[in-house]
Amino acid sequence: MDRVLRVAKRFKEEHIDVKFQILGDGELKDELLNLRQQLEVEDMVDFLGFQKNPFPYIKQADLMFCCSGYEGFCLVICEAMCLGVPVVCTKTSGPIEILEDNEYGLLCEHDDESMFQAVKKMVLDEKLRTDYSCEGRKKIMQFESSMIVSQIENL
């Protein structure tokens, strides 16, 4: 999550008005709160803690930014796509497979500049967000139970 804070700092430096919401909790929370203060992005990054039902937060988001250093099959990406939320994600094995070389969402490298540029592109381009929202919903159809059952039966 330190990556989100550094990306937020870049948005602040470029005077682009965005708001990041971080759901969940963990042992690094105090460290991250200190970093948020050091980077002076308290007005841009909210820590909402553990949410029993995260879906209303995801649904209202303009985009989902997943910046894991490593990730298997990332369920939260699929959840966002189900809800029509476009995705920006670092290139890790699961997201690469799900987003298929930027066909269903934006993939970026793991450095701060690449992450910032990808999120910025999605933030500033409403048509891109709309397109990825539609494409993401199409991709998720592959995981419909009827499709899975059909594939198993074919095997």
Side-chain angles (χ1 to χ4, degrees), residues 2 9 22 27 50 61 65-66 71 85:
D2 59 314
K9 177 69 172 180
I22 298 174
E27 59 189 44
F50 172 78
F65 176 38
C66 182
E71 189 78 55
V85 177

Side-chain angles (χ1 to χ4, degrees), residues 65-92:
F65 176 38
C66 182
C67 54
S68 297
Y70 52 91
E71 189 78 55
F73 189 85
C74 188
L75 190 56
V76 72
I77 291 174
C78 293
E79 292 167 343
M81 291 166 71
C82 278
L83 295 169
V85 177
V87 174
V88 175
C89 194
T90 48
K91 290 181 179 177
T92 56

Side-chain angles (χ1 to χ4, degrees), residues 98-146:
I98 296 166
L99 300 180
E100 295 185 31
D101 197 28
N102 297 316
E103 189 170 339
Y104 300 102
L106 277 182
L107 290 163
C108 61
E109 298 300 331
H110 291 264
D111 62 281
D112 290 354
E113 182 64 19
S114 296
M115 289 184 285
F116 169 69
Q117 291 299 330
V119 174
K120 179 181 172 184
K121 181 176 183 176
M122 190 74 85
V123 164
L124 297 179
D125 190 338
E126 185 176 349
K127 183 181 179 330
L128 184 66
R129 289 193 313 272
T130 300
D131 290 347
Y132 276 132
S133 174
C134 293
E135 291 303 314
R137 283 185 168 152
K138 288 179 192 173
K139 170 69 174 180
I140 290 304
M141 297 304 290
Q142 295 176 3
F143 302 109
E144 289 271 325
S145 59
S146 60

